[in-house]
């Protein structure tokens, strides 16, 4: 089976590529920058030139492709690309997939998306879902809530660097999951008939609030976090103000995500039935505790090595 991975250099995409190659699939990566994607070629993937902002590059990339795994998404601070990539180009991609008789199309969206249609990026994801569902393609849509990897820059690094962590008082609970586990499930789904033409939630085994994540990071790292709280109403006012000027529309779209924070929502759901379909046990899905322990252990080890090298250099300079 030949797979075409869209968004292959991203946080999730690269894990999907790696897992697919490990499982013996022929993997093609739809990329616009060969230099940036060179590591994928070293892994064994074939690089196919393509740019979602240039729809004419899409059809040829589907030649001899059996399935598409779409891991790409526009960044919420890039208004043009949100409209161009996550709507127009994705429509063309789906239509081209129909013409190319692609056997399976995998797409990633947001958990509880229908509750947040006012958020531009979420609204566009829902539009793509609708386009895909109404096509004649065999599809699987995975609804995600958040990745472990995003927590490193948000919480772990600021705690290590003793920099402030900005957060609201509201306590939204999110079922974060490791992208490696998402990739593993994604590749396995290609051979499972029960999840074809289905929308599947994909979250971790436990949901976490910001406070709980910070406490966990503090416990593992042995350092105290510097927390700065921002009222949600202030962010709402800022969001409305940024709508007035075209050059701040990108900021307004990004601030739209505060609606998720302001409702004390739970971005989590039971995965018991899903794990049965995939023949997984809970223990096979990595926990956030283990992930952060591994991260802090590696960082602390590197810091100790650097300090040891500095001491050696100082001793040598004294002779």
């Amino acid at each position: 089976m030949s797979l075409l991975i869209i968004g292959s250099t991203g946080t999730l995409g690269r894990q999907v590529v790696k897992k697919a190659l490990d499982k013996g699939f022929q993997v093609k990566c739809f990329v616009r920058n060969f230099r940036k994607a060179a590591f994928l070629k070293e892994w064994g993937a074939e690089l196919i030139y393509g740019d979602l902002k240039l729809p004419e590059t899409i059809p040829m990339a589907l030649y001899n492709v059996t399935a598409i795994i779409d891991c790409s998404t526009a960044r919420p601070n890039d208004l043009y690309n949100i409209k161009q990539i996550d709507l127009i180009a994705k429509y063309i991609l789906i239509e081209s997939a129909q013409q190319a008789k692609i056997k399976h199309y995998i797409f990633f969206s947001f958990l509880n998306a229908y509750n947040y249609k006012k958020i531009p990026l979420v609204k566009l994801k829902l539009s793509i879902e609708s386009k895909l569902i109404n096509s004649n393609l065999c599809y699987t849509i995975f609804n995600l809530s958040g990745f472990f990897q995003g927590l490193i820059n948000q919480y772990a690094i600021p705690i290590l660097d003793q920099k402030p962590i900005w957060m609201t008082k509201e306590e939204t609970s999110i079922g974060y999951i490791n992208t490696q586990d998402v990739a593993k499930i994604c590749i396995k789904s290609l051979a499972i008939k029960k999840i074809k033409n289905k929308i599947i939630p994909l979250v971790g085994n436990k949901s976490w609030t910001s406070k709980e994540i910070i406490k966990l990071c503090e416990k593992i790292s042995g350092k105290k976090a510097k927390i700065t709280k921002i009222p949600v109403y202030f962010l709402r006012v800022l969001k409305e103000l940024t709508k007035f000027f075209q050059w701040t529309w990108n900021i307004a779209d990004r601030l739209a995500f505060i609606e998720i924070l302001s409702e004390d929502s739970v971005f989590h759901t039971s995965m018991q039935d899903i794990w049965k379909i995939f023949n997984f046990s809970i223990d096979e899905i990595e926990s956030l505790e283990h992930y952060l322990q591994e991260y802090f252990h590696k960082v602390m080890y590197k810091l100790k090595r650097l300090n040891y090298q500095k001491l050696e250099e100082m001793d040598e300079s004294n002779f």
Side-chain angles (χ1 to χ4, degrees), residues 29-41:
C29 297
F30 187 82
V31 298
R32 65 176 181 272
N33 188 326
F34 278 50
R35 183 179 297 178
K36 184 180 178 181
F39 69 97
L40 299 173
K41 187 175 182 180

Side-chain angles (χ1 to χ4, degrees), residues 123-276:
K123 183 179 179 181
L124 290 169
K125 285 284 187 182
L126 288 171
S127 296
I128 299 163
E129 283 188 41
S130 178
K131 177 75 172 178
L132 188 55
I133 291 169
N134 291 313
S135 71
N136 61 2
L137 291 168
C138 172
Y139 67 86
T140 301
I141 298 171
F142 288 109
N143 284 343
L144 307 171
S145 58
F147 298 143
F148 286 175
Q149 284 74 7
L151 301 177
I152 299 303
N153 287 328
Q154 192 173 356
Y155 299 106
I157 292 176
I159 288 175
L160 287 173
D161 292 343
Q162 290 295 283
K163 292 182 179 179
I165 296 173
W166 299 82
M167 58 180 288
T168 64
K169 293 181 180 179
E170 283 64 30
E171 291 297 314
T172 299
S173 186
I174 300 175
Y176 296 96
I177 188 170
N178 193 341
T179 54
Q180 292 182 3
D181 287 327
V182 175
K184 179 170 59 177
I185 294 162
C186 172
I187 297 304
K188 192 165 186 177
S189 72
L190 292 166
I192 300 176
K193 292 182 179 179
K194 285 185 179 180
I195 57 88
K196 290 183 178 179
N197 295 329
K198 300 288 185 182
I199 299 177
I200 308 291
L202 198 51
V203 298
N205 293 323
K206 181 181 176 181
S207 61
W208 296 81
T209 65
S210 296
K211 285 183 180 179
E212 289 170 339
I213 296 170
I214 290 170
K215 285 181 180 179
L216 179 60
C217 289
E218 288 178 329
K219 180 181 178 181
I220 297 173
S221 67
K223 294 192 175 186
K224 189 73 175 176
K226 295 181 179 180
I227 300 172
T228 301
K229 292 188 176 180
I230 308 173
V232 169
Y233 73 82
F234 173 79
L235 295 176
R236 280 191 176 132
V237 171
L238 184 60
K239 181 187 73 173
E240 295 303 317
L241 288 173
T242 52
K243 286 181 179 178
F244 285 106
F245 308 100
Q246 186 175 354
W247 57 277
T248 56
W249 284 351
N250 292 338
I251 300 172
D253 280 347
R254 199 166 189 175
L255 286 170
F257 280 91
I258 64 171
E259 298 306 320
I260 293 176
L261 301 175
S262 62
E263 297 181 7
D264 293 346
S265 305
V266 177
F267 280 83
H268 193 260
T269 188
S270 173
M271 294 294 294
Q272 187 174 357
D273 293 338
I274 304 300
W275 297 151
K276 285 181 181 178

